[in-house]
Amino acid sequence: MLLLFVSALVFTDTIFFTALTPLLPHYVHTVGLSKAGAGVLVAAYPAGTLLSALPSGLLVAHLGARRGVLIGLVLMSISTLAFGWSNSEALLDAARFVQGLGGSCTWAAGMAWLSSAAPAERRGELLGTALGAAVGGALFGPVVGAIADQIGTGPAFSAAAVIGAALIAVNFAMPAPEQSEPQGLSAAFASVKDPRIAMGLWLTMIAGLAFGVLDVLAPLRLNALGAAPVVIGATFLASAAVETGLSPLSGRLSDRRGRYFPVRISLLSGVAVSLLAPALTPAAVLIAMLVIGMPAFGTLFAPSSAMLSDAAHRLALHQGLAFGLANLAWAAGQTIAASASGAIAQATTDFVPYALLAATCLATFLGTLRRRAAGADAR
């Protein structure tokens, strides 16, 4: 029951997060966004998450997971409704920013709730299943965006308020989460010195960097190659469908073969995707590669979350603070990449931000090999 509830939370959150992807060309034409402005709009959500990452973890550590979920759902419902009816760049950016605040609370509370209840031998699988549900939300998000492009963003995004109210009711009906002693931010900061915590956060940041680049540059390149918003939405839909199946598998592999086994596969695949994305033509070839290749970055989340949770249990760190740190790492990566990739691509070419991403993945892959050579690769 708890797994289903947490999966529904992250599913809903990512629907309205990824619904923007096929709408970027729409806002470029109707609001007058530049490529850099599109990057700022994409970055507004993770910027909100970045600002509230540690406060949301602290909130969960002191108020509990149930109240953290409640606050996140209220913020998500109100801000998504406002985003749908906004027609200026400033209002759109502000609404997306508040969405990020709400998402930070929902993720920190929901994932901490699930991780605390999960048995150690299945932690990667259960977290991977919830993350797979989040990808399922990402799967439907572009569909919602494509529908919004046809019927209007206001009616399409008004559904957020209805879904949020339903989830709030379910939240109160769930059994009480495990209680633990409140902890302060000093415990979170001290934990970063642990190698497993640090690596889990770094891998989470890489995934954020990757999607920051892809969410800005891939839709715009597909549009430049002649792809319509519906086609762009279908591309991300198909890619998310692949990732939905791979995420629980990645978590299961990390339980059985060690946390680094699926990580290395994802990193090497990420190098290839980063180098091919700015070069492939025509649109059909690029679409095929994105559908197959983009899940390489999403499959980093399950093993990195399990790695982080394992270390938090070992250090007696509150899971809310651990996932607050994860939110911080993801949001920092996504915010930096989304805002910088558009500006860098506009000043140079799309190849430059993609090449930086490829270099990051390759360097991290080599770093994990050194850990194995040093005998630090045990689960």
Side-chain angles (χ1 to χ4, degrees):
M1 186 65 177
L2 178 59
L3 175 62
L4 184 61
F5 175 61
V6 174
S7 295
L9 289 177
V10 296
F11 176 86
T12 303
D13 182 73
T14 53
I15 282 180
F16 296 105
F17 173 55
T18 59
L20 176 63
T21 301
L23 286 171
L24 278 178
H26 164 80
Y27 286 119
V28 167
H29 296 138
T30 60
V31 182
L33 292 180
S34 64
K35 184 176 284 190
V40 171
L41 182 59
V42 172
Y45 181 105
T49 303
L50 178 65
L51 181 66
S52 61
L54 291 179
S56 66
L58 192 61
L59 180 148
V60 174
H62 282 263
L63 298 183
R66 191 195 304 277
R67 291 175 181 172
V69 167
L70 175 63
I71 293 170
L73 286 173
V74 170
L75 290 175
M76 181 275 292
S77 301
I78 294 172
S79 59
T80 304
L81 186 65
F83 181 85
W85 295 101
S86 298
N87 57 9
S88 75
E89 185 172 351
L91 289 176
L92 289 168
D93 290 341
R96 287 286 286 180
F97 181 82
V98 177
Q99 280 181 322
L101 298 178
S104 179
C105 291
T106 302
W107 276 82
M111 297 301 281
W113 199 343
L114 179 60
S115 181
S116 296
E121 65 276 9
R122 294 191 61 210
R123 188 171 293 133
E125 180 182 356
L126 294 179
L127 290 173
T129 300
L131 290 165
V135 177
L139 184 153
F140 284 101
V143 175
V144 173
I147 292 172
D149 188 58
Q150 299 298 316
I151 69 171
T153 56
F157 289 134
S158 294
V162 177
I163 296 172
L167 287 173
I168 287 171
V170 175
N171 180 49
F172 284 114
M174 291 297 297
E178 177 183 311
Q179 298 296 317
S180 58
E181 288 295 322
Q183 293 178 333
L185 290 180
S186 59
F189 293 140
S191 72
V192 178
K193 299 176 184 177
D194 182 83
R196 285 290 177 132
I197 294 282
M199 180 56 78
L201 295 176
W202 174 241
L203 293 171
T204 302
M205 179 177 281
I206 288 177
L209 289 169
F211 286 113
V213 173
L214 287 162
D215 287 350
V216 173
L217 298 183
L220 297 178
R221 177 161 171 77
L222 286 170
N223 184 63
L225 292 175
V230 172
V231 175
I232 297 172
T235 300
F236 281 79
L237 171 69
S239 177
V242 174
E243 189 179 331
T244 299
L246 290 178
S247 185
L249 176 61
S250 178
R252 198 174 302 119
L253 281 174
S254 75
D255 286 336
R256 298 177 181 177
R257 300 288 300 272
R259 302 304 186 204
Y260 284 103
F261 182 77
V263 165
R264 293 188 182 105
I265 296 173
S266 295
L267 290 171
L268 275 184
S269 301
V271 173
V273 172
S274 301
L275 295 177
L276 290 172
L280 291 180
T281 56
V285 175
L286 177 58
I287 287 170
M289 191 283 295
L290 291 173
V291 168
I292 297 170
M294 282 196 295
F297 298 109
T299 51
L300 284 171
F301 284 121
S304 64
S305 295
M307 188 182 301
L308 189 64
S309 182
D310 290 343
H313 276 282
R314 177 170 50 81
L315 297 172
L317 177 69
H318 194 287
Q319 292 291 321
L321 289 174
F323 283 99
L325 288 171
N327 279 337
L328 180 65
W330 170 81
Q334 179 106 11
T335 303
I336 292 168
S339 56
S341 61
I344 293 172
Q346 190 167 297
T348 55
T349 67
D350 284 6
F351 178 77
V352 175
Y354 277 118
L356 292 172
L357 177 60
T360 301
C361 291
L362 181 59
T364 304
F365 171 78
L366 295 175
T368 67
L369 292 182
R370 285 195 294 271
R371 287 185 62 84
R372 182 169 64 180
D377 210 15
R379 197 170 148 260

